[in-house]
Amino acid sequence: MFNITPTVGCVATGLIADSRAQVDKARSEAADFRYKYGYEISADLLAKRMANVNQVYTQKAFMRPYGVSLIIIGYDIEMGPQLYKVDPAGYFVGYKATAAGVKQQEAINFLEKRIKDDPELTIEQTIETAVDTLSSVLATYLKPTEVEMAIVSANNPKFKILTTQEIEDVLS
């Protein structure tokens, strides 16, 4: 889990070295945008730019495509909460909830069942849904040291990674 800007963060799943390279590129793109336009980049624009970079890597014979999927999250004052998934092929799409990784399809199926009933969730309900999804898909007891969580909301648009103590409070 990485901070890109104060209001945008991301989760990277895949090869660790590629994850770091992608996050560095995302931070560079965000800094260039801030310098050029005078305000922070939104999650949708950052996702689009990262998808464009990934797509170029699929076209060149001398460049290996990145082996990492990014989930970019942020809060935009005009558009509200934003969640985008960027894949190595250069495709990006927005979601209400998504997953990436080994058990991606099981997690997405669980989220679809849970969210289709009530798409407008409070922060507490959203966190509870995320924890339920992880524990259901992984079929194990979650330990606070093995889980990373971050929150962004209308009340606090800053991307905040929760501490181990805060995660322990959520899990109990």
Side-chain angles (χ1 to χ4, degrees):
M1 204 163 293
F2 304 95
N3 281 331
I4 305 298
T5 70
T7 59
V8 176
C10 79
V11 175
T13 57
L15 301 174
I16 295 170
D18 287 355
S19 298
R20 290 189 184 130
Q22 284 279 82
V23 168
D24 287 344
K25 181 67 176 167
R27 288 177 177 156
S28 174
E29 291 293 330
D32 288 346
F33 186 90
R34 171 94 169 125
Y35 179 75
K36 188 182 280 186
Y37 298 107
Y39 60 94
E40 296 293 342
I41 193 168
S42 63
D44 63 328
L45 289 175
L46 182 61
K48 182 177 182 179
R49 182 63 192 134
M50 295 308 297
N52 287 341
V53 169
N54 286 351
Q55 204 277 329
V56 167
Y57 274 69
T58 65
Q59 292 179 337
K60 306 285 184 180
F62 56 90
M63 290 185 190
R64 175 183 64 82
Y66 286 114
V68 63
S69 288
L70 295 176
I71 297 176
I72 299 173
I73 184 173
Y75 188 85
D76 187 36
I77 295 169
E78 295 174 1
M79 298 179 66
Q82 297 182 317
L83 177 69
Y84 289 89
K85 188 172 175 183
V86 181
D87 74 356
Y91 180 73
F92 81 102
V93 67
Y95 290 94
K96 287 189 182 270
T98 191
V102 178
K103 296 195 174 189
Q104 169 182 328
Q105 194 57 50
E106 291 94 337
I108 290 174
N109 291 341
F110 186 89
L111 288 167
E112 282 177 356
K113 290 176 188 172
R114 186 63 73 92
I115 291 185
K116 77 174 181 177
D117 297 336
D118 187 19
E120 296 297 323
L121 303 174
T122 65
I123 293 172
E124 292 78 19
Q125 291 171 328
T126 303
I127 293 171
E128 183 180 324
T129 301
V131 170
D132 288 348
T133 303
L134 280 173
S135 62
S136 173
V137 170
L138 298 175
T140 185
Y141 174 74
L142 299 175
K143 298 176 187 168
T145 56
E146 298 172 346
V147 177
E148 286 183 294
M149 288 185 185
I151 297 175
V152 65
S153 67
N155 300 339
N156 186 8
K158 302 273 187 204
F159 183 81
K160 181 184 183 245
I161 298 174
L162 300 180
T163 64
T164 305
Q165 181 60 46
E166 291 171 324
I167 293 171
E168 187 174 342
D169 294 343
V170 167
L171 293 176
S172 62

